[in-house]
Amino acid sequence: MWFSPNTDLFSDQAHLLNMLPKDGVLNDYGRVMAVDEADSHFNELMMAAAWQPDSALLNGELVRTVREVAWYADRPFRYVHSGIERQAIRWQGSSLLRLKRRMEELTGQRYNSCLLNLYHNASQGIGWHADVEASEPNDVIASLSLGAARKFALKHKATGELRELTLEHGQVIVMRGETQRHWLHSLLKTKQSVGSRISLTFRCFPEQWRA
């Protein structure tokens, strides 16, 4: 069961507070599904997603991460990130397609791709970055968290100002407007003992990156 903050998605989202003080928009939709449904999606994606280690070229050497990724899209998009060409695979799996449709209903946006990240434990995270390599200006990026609660942080590129929030099982946040131009974001590592987490990042991929 999904809990939408409103039925009129295009006109009635003004109640969603902007979590950023300037130069962008971050809306926190909170937990949008019941625990048993979130559990079901988490378990299916853990088993069925095409997980593989992320990779990058560092000083000419191929480095693979413990964190795993899977990238799905309407078409086999390609782009180069960290010296490595990435290629999407077409949507598959009933859970992922249901989540895509639900995210579109919830946020009033259309998405043609989804990047999944699997963090096996609290020692795995992702450093400060902005999603600019394959972004259009004023891109809308929606993120759904499944699994263990983890701390998500944002840092203003010019001032260093910080914002943090804990993302829980079934929670959705949306970054809009100038956010990627002015803010970096990170999933912070922790020494606490927590379980696995999956993030699903939905966006509309730019035309110039289509294969």
Side-chain angles (χ1 to χ4, degrees):
M1 178 179 179
W2 279 72
F3 304 102
S4 172
N6 260 294
T7 54
D8 189 347
L9 296 172
F10 292 95
S11 62
D12 288 342
Q13 290 182 359
H15 72 289
L16 290 170
L17 296 178
N18 183 7
M19 307 295 289
L20 300 179
K22 59 185 176 183
D23 297 336
V25 176
L26 173 66
N27 296 136
D28 180 8
Y29 286 70
R31 297 176 67 176
V32 301
M33 65 181 75
V35 172
D36 58 349
E37 183 179 6
D39 288 345
S40 176
H41 288 305
F42 177 84
N43 292 331
E44 182 175 337
L45 291 171
M46 282 286 287
M47 295 294 296
W51 298 113
Q52 58 182 356
D54 198 8
S55 57
L57 280 178
L58 297 177
N59 299 319
E61 182 179 353
L62 181 65
V63 177
R64 297 187 183 276
T65 66
V66 181
R67 173 177 56 89
E68 296 182 85
V69 298
W71 183 27
Y72 294 91
D74 289 356
R75 297 162 68 174
F77 302 141
R78 290 189 179 95
Y79 78 108
V80 176
H81 174 64
S82 299
I84 303 295
E85 184 180 84
R86 323 284 172 148
Q87 181 170 349
I89 57 179
R90 293 186 183 274
W91 301 102
Q92 57 183 259
S94 58
S95 187
L96 185 58
L97 288 169
R98 286 199 305 272
L99 289 172
K100 175 184 180 292
R101 289 192 294 269
R102 294 294 191 178
M103 291 290 282
E104 290 175 337
E105 294 170 3
L106 180 68
T107 64
Q109 299 286 330
R110 180 185 173 273
Y111 305 107
N112 63 17
S113 71
C114 178
L115 176 66
L116 287 76
N117 284 273
L118 170 57
Y119 306 89
H120 293 278
N121 53 55
S123 69
Q124 298 172 16
I126 189 167
W128 293 109
H129 69 286
D131 295 329
V132 294
E133 290 85 0
S135 293
E136 295 279 17
N138 301 314
D139 204 5
V140 176
I141 300 176
S143 179
L144 168 65
S145 295
L146 296 173
R150 295 288 298 273
K151 185 169 288 186
F152 179 81
L154 298 102
K155 178 170 65 175
H156 195 276
K157 293 180 182 179
T159 68
E161 188 171 3
L162 292 172
R163 288 291 186 273
E164 295 182 354
L165 64 158
T166 298
L167 300 180
E168 299 184 350
H169 191 35
Q171 185 170 350
V172 169
I173 59 171
V174 178
M175 294 181 282
R176 310 173 189 269
E178 296 288 306
T179 305
Q180 303 307 315
R181 294 189 180 190
H182 297 286
W183 292 83
L184 303 172
H185 56 273
S186 173
L187 186 77
L188 302 180
K189 299 178 183 179
T190 176
K191 294 182 179 180
Q192 298 178 355
S193 178
V194 300
S196 299
R197 173 186 183 263
I198 296 173
S199 69
L200 298 91
T201 304
F202 294 85
R203 67 196 309 166
C204 194
F205 222 62
E207 290 287 338
Q208 63 265 31
W209 297 104
R210 296 190 178 187

